[in-house]
Amino acid sequence: ERKPTLGFFLQCNPIDVQGNNNGWSCYARATLSILSREKPENDFNRRINHFFYAKENDWGYSNFMMMEEIKDPAKGFIKDNKINLKIEVAADAPHGEHWDSK
C-alpha cells in the first residue's frame, strides 16, 4: 500500500510578449523546504539542479516528504491547518528571452 506524500516542484514558465513560451532555457539551482513552525531544527530541505526549457519546465519531487511525517505534531509542520513551504532559487540568466538584469 502506497502511503500519501507531499509533491513539491519548481516551475519556470516564461511567456514572451507574443504569448509564446518556447525557445527559452535557464539553468537553476534551488532548495525546496518545508518549515517547522515550532522547531526550526526540524525544517526539511531537498535540493534540485535543473536545466529548464519549454518541454521540461518543472522539476522537483513527487515524494518530497511523507504526509505521516508532516502530520506528526512533534515535528511542528502544521499550525492552524497550514504548512509553510519555501523555495530559494539561484538561476543563470535565461537564454532565448529578452532579459533585463535591472
Side-chain angles (χ1 to χ4, degrees):
E1 176 183 329
R2 280 186 79 181
K3 294 189 176 189
T5 61
L6 172 70
F8 193 7
F9 296 84
L10 172 64
Q11 184 175 32
C12 181
N13 198 19
I15 297 176
D16 65 21
V17 291
Q18 287 83 29
N20 301 314
N21 72 345
N22 39 353
W24 62 271
S25 63
C26 181
Y27 179 77
R29 297 153 304 288
T31 302
L32 289 66
S33 305
I34 181 169
L35 306 177
S36 174
R37 297 177 172 232
E38 304 297 327
K39 302 174 183 172
E41 64 271 17
N42 286 342
D43 291 356
F44 181 76
N45 308 297
R46 295 182 90 174
R47 290 179 173 73
I48 61 170
N49 295 293
H50 188 65
F51 185 74
F52 292 88
Y53 61 100
K55 291 192 190 292
E56 201 169 275
N57 67 350
D58 65 351
W59 202 251
Y61 299 93
S62 56
N63 298 307
F64 181 77
M65 189 177 204
M66 300 292 293
M67 290 302 295
E68 182 178 286
E69 191 173 353
I70 293 170
K71 291 178 179 180
D72 180 352
K75 301 281 185 178
F77 291 120
I78 298 176
K79 185 174 183 179
D80 300 325
N81 284 329
K82 297 177 185 173
I83 60 173
N84 280 345
L85 300 173
K86 178 172 95 172
I87 298 180
E88 294 180 35
V89 179
D92 296 343
H95 300 279
E97 280 291 305
H98 175 72
W99 182 71
D100 188 353
S101 64
K102 294 179 189 174

